[in-house]
Amino acid sequence: MKKVQRICAITHILTENPNKDFSLGYFADKFECAKSSISEDIKMVRETIDESGYGYLETTSGAKGGVRYVPYISAEETKEVLLQLRDKLLEPDRAIGGGFLYTSDIMFDPKFAKGAARIFAKRFASIDADMVVTVETKGIGTALFTAELLNLPLAVIRHESKVSEGSTISINYFSGSASRIQQMSISKKGIDKDCRAIVIDDFMRGGGSMTGIYNILNEFDAKAVATGVVIVAGGKENKKIEDYVPLLILHDTAAPFTIELNEELYK
Amino acid sequence: MKKVQRICAITHILTENPNKDFSLGYFADKFECAKSSISEDIKMVRETIDESGYGYLETTSGAKGGVRYVPYISAEETKEVLLQLRDKLLEPDRAIGGGFLYTSDIMFDPKFAKGAARIFAKRFASIDADMVVTVETKGIGTALFTAELLNLPLAVIRHESKVSEGSTISINYFSGSASRIQQMSISKKGIDKDCRAIVIDDFMRGGGSMTGIYNILNEFDAKAVATGVVIVAGGKENKKIEDYVPLLILHDTAAPFTIELNEELYK
C-alpha cells in the first residue's frame, strides 16, 4: 500500500469513528508497516484535518501511544449552522398559536440535528462525561448525534412507563408548556449509578421538563455535568434551572416572534 | 496544498457527507487547482475507499461531473455487527417476561444503531426514496442514522397527537404486543404528498404497528418502498405485512429464547 493510500485510509477510519482511540500498532498491523511510518502518516493527516475545520487529532505518546479524531466546528461554521436553523424556524406557517412552533421536521433532519450536535460536541468536548441523556421525542436526533460525536451512549427518558422497560423509576413534574403535571420514566437499568451526564433537549421554556430530567438523574445519584438546549424561549429570566447552553433564543411574547443567536458560541 | 493533503481533505469531506454530490469544480475552487488534478486525486481516493469496505465512490462524468461517497458494509462486517447485536441481546437479565426484551440501551447506543443503519443503508442504497419514516421511540436511532447515510430527511410518527404538531393525521391500529387499540399521529406537514418512504422500526411481532405506519402513509398518498426492522419476533408466520428486511429473528415461544441472524444479509 502506498503512503498516500495509507494516509487516505487513516483519514477515513478516524473520521468514521469520532473520539475513539486507535493505537499506532492498530494501523501498523492493518497496513503492515512500521509504527514510525504510521507516525509520519498521522502527522500529515493531522495537518490536513486541522485545516479542514471539521475536527482535529489528539495524540498520546509512549508505549500505548495512539490517536483520536475529535470533531470540531469553527466559529464561522457555527454561525452558519445557527443562521440556517434560524432561517428555517422563521419560515412561514411554523407558528401554531399558543406560543408553539412546528419544529419536528427540523429536529429530525439529519443535517440540522447533526449541525446542532457538532456545536454541542465541541462545547462539551473537554467535559468528563459517561453518557448523554434526553427525554423523548424531538431532542433525540440532536442527542444521538452528540452522543456519537463524543463516543458516549445515549439514554432516552420516556413519558410513559412501558412494559418493555422492565422496572422503572418515575417522577412527576410540572410542565409549563402543557400547563399540567406530567410524568417521566426510565428503566432502572437505563442510567448508571453515579454517572456524569450531558443533558440535551430540543426546547425549554420554564425549565420544568429539564428539572424533571435532573430529578430522574438524582434518583440514580447521577449528575448533569452539562446541559444543551437547541431552542430556549423567553430569554434567561424565570427559568427553574440556571446553567445551560442554548443555541437559539426565541422571543415570542410579542408577534411576530424573533430568534436570537447565542453569540457566545461563535465569538 | 500538496497532493497528499488534497487527497486527505477530499476523503475527509466525502466521508463526512454520505450520499451528497460534490462537483469537481467544488474541490477545484476549494483547493485552487485544475479539475484534472482533482480528477486524479479522486481516482486515488476511490481506490482507497473501495478497499476500506466502509463505502465506495460514485462518479458522474461530463460538464456537471461529480462524485459522492456511498456508505457500504461488507458481508464480513455485516455478520460481525449482527453477531454483536445478538450477543448483546442474549446478555442475562434482558428478558422481562411476557415476551418482552429490554433493548433501549442497545437501540440508542450510537454504535449499535449506526451498525444496524449501515446494513439498511447498503441494502436500500439503490432504491429511489424521498424520506425515512419511523414511529417513536426506540426505532428513532436506527432510522436517523439510516436517513443520514442515505442523505434523506426523517419523519417520526408520534403515539399522541401533540399541540406542537399543529393539525395532525391520526389513525388507530391494533397492537398485538399491547393487546389493545393504539393511536398514531403525525403533523399534516410531516410527510410529503406522494412521497416514497423507507420505513424503519426497532421491533415487529404481528405487524400491527407496521400496518399503522403504512396506513398513515396512505393518508398522504405516500408509499413504503422498503421496510427494515431490527428485531422480528417469531419468524415469517402470521405477519400482517409481507415484504420487510429483518436483521435478527427472535424465537421466543420456548424458553430460553434464541436469536437467528438474517443470513441473506451477508451471503
Side-chain angles (χ1 to χ4, degrees), chain B residues 59-115:
Chain B
T59 48
T60 47
S61 50
K64 284 195 170 178
V67 61
R68 60 162 66 191
Y69 167 64
V70 184
Y72 184 84
I73 180 165
S74 66
E76 197 180 65
E77 211 190 338
T78 298
K79 188 172 177 184
E80 203 178 294
V81 167
L82 296 181
L83 284 171
Q84 281 173 356
L85 265 171
R86 188 195 64 178
D87 290 351
K88 196 83 190 157
L89 286 162
L90 290 173
E91 284 175 352
D93 302 330
R94 288 207 176 266
I96 288 165
F100 290 99
L101 264 189
Y102 178 65
T103 64
S104 290
D105 57 332
I106 301 176
M107 294 298 171
F108 290 119
D109 188 315
K111 277 195 299 289
F112 289 107
K114 188 141 195 178

Side-chain angles (χ1 to χ4, degrees), chain A residues 6 25 45 52 98 124 133 137 139 166 199 240 260:
Chain A
R6 278 205 316 263
V45 172
S52 77
F124 302 145
V133 173
T137 302
V199 180
K240 286 176 189 151
E260 181 192 339

Side-chain angles (χ1 to χ4, degrees), chain A residues 1-9 11-13 15-17 30 44-45 47-49 51-52 54-55 69 71 92-97 100-105 107-111 113-114 118 136-138 140-142 144-145 147-149 151-156 158-160 162-167 177 180 182 186-187 189-191, chain B residues 1-9 11-13 15-17 30 44-49 51-52 54-55 69 71 92-97 100-105 107-111 113-114 136-138 140-142 144-145 147-149 151-156 158-160 162-167 177 180 182 186-187 189-191:
Chain A
M1 204 174 200
K2 278 185 280 187
K3 185 174 184 64
V4 57
Q5 284 188 305
R6 278 205 316 263
I7 287 173
C8 182
T11 305
H12 189 61
I13 291 167
T15 310
E16 287 275 19
N17 295 285
K30 190 170 181 78
M44 180 69 77
V45 172
E47 281 168 19
T48 317
I49 289 192
E51 252 179 65
S52 77
Y54 266 104
Y69 167 63
D93 302 331
R94 288 208 176 266
I96 288 164
F100 290 99
L101 266 189
Y102 178 65
T103 63
S104 290
D105 57 332
M107 294 299 171
F108 289 121
D109 188 314
K111 277 195 299 289
K114 188 140 192 179
R118 287 178 64 207
E136 63 182 356
T137 302
K138 285 191 289 177
I140 295 177
T142 304
L144 187 73
F145 283 125
E148 186 197 19
L149 293 172
N151 195 23
L152 295 174
L154 170 66
V156 177
R158 311 290 292 265
H159 280 297
E160 277 183 75
K162 298 273 179 187
V163 57
S164 58
E165 299 292 303
S167 309
S177 306
R180 62 184 168 94
Q182 293 201 304
I186 189 163
S187 169
K189 301 175 191 172
I191 294 173
Chain B
M1 205 175 200
K2 278 186 279 185
K3 186 175 184 63
V4 57
Q5 283 188 304
R6 279 205 314 266
I7 287 173
C8 181
T11 305
H12 189 60
I13 291 167
T15 310
E16 286 274 18
N17 295 283
K30 192 172 179 78
M44 180 69 78
V45 171
R46 172 191 284 124
E47 282 168 19
T48 316
I49 288 192
E51 252 180 65
S52 76
Y54 265 105
Y69 167 64
D93 302 330
R94 288 207 176 266
I96 288 165
F100 290 99
L101 264 189
Y102 178 65
T103 64
S104 290
D105 57 332
M107 294 298 171
F108 290 119
D109 188 315
K111 277 195 299 289
K114 188 141 195 178
E136 62 182 356
T137 303
K138 284 190 289 177
I140 295 176
T142 304
L144 187 74
F145 283 124
E148 186 198 18
L149 293 173
N151 194 23
L152 295 173
L154 170 67
V156 177
R158 311 289 292 262
H159 280 296
E160 277 183 77
K162 298 274 178 185
V163 57
S164 58
E165 300 291 302
S167 308
S177 306
R180 62 183 167 98
Q182 292 201 305
I186 189 164
S187 169
K189 302 175 190 172
I191 294 174

